[in-house]
Amino acid sequence: MAKITFLKSEKTFEIPIGTDLVKIYEINPDLPLKFGCKQGECGVCEIKISTGHENLTKHTPQEKRTLNTRIKEGSRLACQCALKGDIIIN
Ligand code: FES
């Protein structure tokens, strides 16, 4: 299991390692995440990672195209990554 913490809403969830963030949301809609296209195109699911960048799967090519320079600022698209360990989201 890994912990996903949302700083703004002060919520922490325990999630099985390897789970796609979009699937976590479908199981637990209390997660403070929003999704639109779920294809990495609209940017609605953009999150800022505070801690644990290394604990998410690598950026997909579509994610790189959509986020562009915001990748360097710690942004990820929740619909494009899976959990490998603990993360903290701003
Ligand atoms: S839901 Fe559209 S980019 Fe993630």
Side-chain angles (χ1 to χ4, degrees):
M1 299 291 272
K3 287 182 185 165
I4 178 169
T5 300
F6 295 85
L7 290 179
K8 282 184 187 161
S9 56
E10 298 179 346
K11 290 183 178 178
T12 298
F13 300 85
E14 293 231 345
I15 309 293
I17 288 175
T19 308
D20 294 335
L21 294 187
V22 70
K23 289 186 180 154
I24 297 167
Y25 177 75
E26 288 167 2
I27 294 166
N28 187 348
D30 288 341
L31 250 69
L33 292 172
K34 291 181 181 160
F35 290 95
C37 68
K38 299 180 184 173
Q39 302 291 317
E41 295 175 359
C42 70
V44 167
C45 66
E46 184 173 340
I47 52 176
K48 281 260 176 125
I49 306 300
S50 174
T51 305
H53 293 272
E54 70 281 8
N55 289 333
L56 289 171
T57 50
K58 292 182 179 177
H59 296 92
T60 64
Q62 181 59 50
E63 186 178 17
K64 287 179 184 173
R65 277 193 293 275
T66 300
L67 289 175
N68 200 345
T69 57
R70 295 194 307 282
I71 285 178
K72 292 178 185 160
E73 299 163 7
S75 288
R76 296 297 310 261
L77 294 177
C79 71
Q80 298 291 295
C81 48
L83 210 55
K84 299 193 308 182
D86 296 351
I87 62 168
I88 298 175
I89 298 172
N90 281 335

